[in-house]
Amino acid sequence: MNIILFGPPGAGKGTQSKYLVNKLNAFQISTGDLLREEIKKDSNIGKAIINDMNDGKYVSDEIVNKLIENLVSDPQKKNKLIFDGYPRSLSQAKNLNSLLETSNQKISLILFLNVDKETIIKRIEKRKIIENRSDDKSSTILKRYDTYMKTTQPVLNFYSENPNFKEIDGSLEIDEITRKIDTFINV
Ligand code: AMP
């Protein structure tokens, strides 16, 4: 079962992805984590993206698409993919469709964790203290939210037509969200 978790930064995609990875013995594809890893390694990609990422801007589709390519086509991960933070643009959504088609896979569930701006700001402020993420600076939080609203909305519209699209109130407690997700995967 391949699942896309969709929602603004701070909506709980990472937390629920980890739950799904355990539950389904699956693999998380978090483009945010992959990109942060490149920065940590100080690789060429890392050097190219660090300013945009710290500024709350999106990394180019080209770089992100390249990063996930091998993971999606890895036979060991086939039909066990949990997408967290990808796709975030229409071009990425189309790229994902064609990658999945090539490897004879499909998306079984698209979960949209819908959460209001105030809740997100509070959550990210908390995470900033716990995880000390450089892109969680207060000045970056609002930019990340606004970038999400502007760029990711068309992707949301694109997926909301899909019969496997499910919207969940992301302002609920973690356990409540998990319970709702369970109702969609325990079929
Ligand atoms: P996240 O951990 O998913 O909130 O992502 C953190 C940051 O990484 C974002 O604010 C973007 O700068 C970058 N990023 C993560 N995923 C993508 C993506 N699919 N496309 C473009 N940029 C991304």
Side-chain angles (χ1 to χ4, degrees):
M1 181 172 214
N2 293 326
I3 300 175
I4 294 177
L5 277 154
F6 206 75
K13 301 187 295 292
T15 306
Q16 300 301 336
S17 293
K18 287 187 177 73
Y19 169 76
L20 288 166
V21 162
N22 270 327
K23 168 123 183 159
L24 303 171
N25 196 18
F27 300 88
Q28 179 184 14
I29 298 191
S30 159
T31 43
D33 284 351
L34 292 169
L35 293 165
R36 279 184 289 275
E37 197 56 40
E38 293 297 323
I39 291 176
K40 222 160 90 188
K41 286 193 294 193
D42 199 26
S43 66
N44 286 338
I45 291 180
K47 287 188 183 101
I49 63 175
I50 188 163
N51 287 337
D52 277 349
M53 261 188 87
N54 286 340
D55 207 22
K57 290 183 192 144
Y58 279 0
V59 169
S60 77
D61 289 335
E62 200 189 349
I63 289 177
V64 181
N65 287 343
K66 192 77 204 151
L67 275 181
I68 66 141
E69 204 178 291
N70 291 337
L71 297 169
V72 175
S73 54
D74 181 346
Q76 291 196 322
K77 299 184 172 61
K78 189 170 179 177
N79 287 319
K80 290 182 170 191
L81 302 170
I82 311 295
F83 293 94
D84 163 12
Y86 183 96
R88 254 175 160 102
S89 67
L90 261 187
S91 143
Q92 291 178 15
K94 286 177 183 163
N95 178 68
L96 180 60
N97 269 359
S98 79
L99 278 178
L100 289 172
E101 227 169 81
T102 309
S103 52
N104 205 14
Q105 301 182 72
K106 61 179 176 58
I107 294 293
S108 308
L109 190 58
I110 301 147
L111 295 169
F112 174 43
L113 304 183
N114 194 2
V115 59
D116 62 274
K117 198 173 183 173
E118 282 66 37
T119 306
I120 283 164
I121 292 168
K122 269 190 233 142
R123 281 186 188 170
I124 297 186
E125 285 290 347
K126 225 196 231 166
R127 183 169 74 187
K128 194 174 66 178
I129 298 160
I130 298 164
E131 294 181 18
N132 195 23
R133 269 173 51 166
S134 60
D135 60 341
D136 276 351
K137 275 196 304 239
S138 304
S139 56
T140 311
I141 295 168
L142 288 175
K143 273 193 204 156
R144 290 174 67 215
Y145 184 87
D146 291 340
T147 306
Y148 168 83
M149 291 309 281
K150 206 168 64 198
T151 319
T152 318
Q153 196 61 43
V155 192
L156 184 56
N157 297 341
F158 175 77
Y159 282 123
S160 61
E161 310 279 311
N162 190 304
N164 298 319
F165 178 90
K166 311 283 177 196
E167 183 170 334
I168 297 175
D169 178 0
S171 66
L172 294 171
E173 292 298 316
I174 291 174
D175 288 357
E176 286 177 90
I177 296 176
T178 305
R179 267 201 298 280
K180 284 193 189 288
I181 292 178
D182 269 340
T183 65
F184 299 128
I185 57 177
N186 290 333
V187 281

